[in-house]
């Protein structure tokens, strides 16, 4: 019920991550009813931003504010690259191709 009513998912969209527009919003940008829907599914703000939104709804200043910049820097991201949507080479790598520091 939460997924359908509050977040706008249907059976087809639920099984295809990245196809629902709500996934492009960071948790703090969701409408109240969308937050209620996420919470009803057991998804809190940290889970949403990491596993649903993948931080795509963040500006670099948000990345810094929440203390994630060091991890994104390790993957080759910078403020300019992030805010301009210019991914580093690591964006196309598989897990096993990342260095141990990048995996940490």
């Amino acid at each position: 019920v939460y997924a359908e009513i509050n977040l706008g998912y249907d059976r087809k969209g639920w099984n295809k991550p990245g196809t629902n527009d709500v996934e492009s919003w960071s948790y703090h940008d969701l409408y109240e009813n969308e937050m209620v829907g996420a919470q009803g599914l057991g998804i809190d703000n940290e889970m949403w931003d990491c596993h649903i939104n993948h931080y795509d709804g963040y500006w670099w200043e948000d990345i810094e504010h929440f203390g994630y910049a060091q991890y994104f820097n390790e993957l080759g991201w910078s403020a300019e690259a992030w805010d301009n949507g210019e991914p580093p080479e690591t964006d196309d790598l598989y897990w096993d191709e990342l260095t141990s520091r990048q995996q940490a």
Side-chain angles (χ1 to χ4, degrees):
V1 174
Y2 291 109
E4 183 177 7
I5 294 173
N6 297 82
L7 297 171
Y9 284 100
D10 58 19
R11 179 183 297 256
K12 185 178 175 182
W14 181 258
N15 292 319
K16 292 188 177 181
T19 61
N20 188 328
D21 289 342
V22 74
E23 296 171 25
S24 66
W25 296 98
S26 65
Y27 189 87
H28 67 270
D29 289 330
L30 295 176
Y31 290 109
E32 181 67 28
N33 68 311
E34 294 167 337
M35 286 183 188
V36 169
Q39 292 166 2
L41 294 170
I43 300 171
D44 64 16
N45 62 322
E46 291 180 6
M47 292 169 65
W48 180 273
D49 288 342
C50 180
H51 301 291
I52 305 297
N53 177 254
H54 307 288
Y55 305 104
D56 286 339
Y58 281 38
W59 291 100
W60 188 260
E61 71 180 34
D62 299 319
I63 300 275
E64 291 179 323
H65 173 77
F66 290 107
Y68 304 137
Q70 63 186 356
Y71 308 111
F72 283 86
N73 288 144
E74 189 65 43
L75 291 170
W77 287 100
S78 65
E80 183 178 342
W82 184 267
D83 288 342
N84 292 321
E86 301 167 355
E89 291 180 16
T90 58
D91 205 50
D92 291 326
L93 298 180
Y94 290 101
W95 178 260
D96 293 337
E97 296 174 309
L98 297 172
T99 67
S100 58
R101 287 183 55 113
Q102 291 168 331
Q103 292 175 355

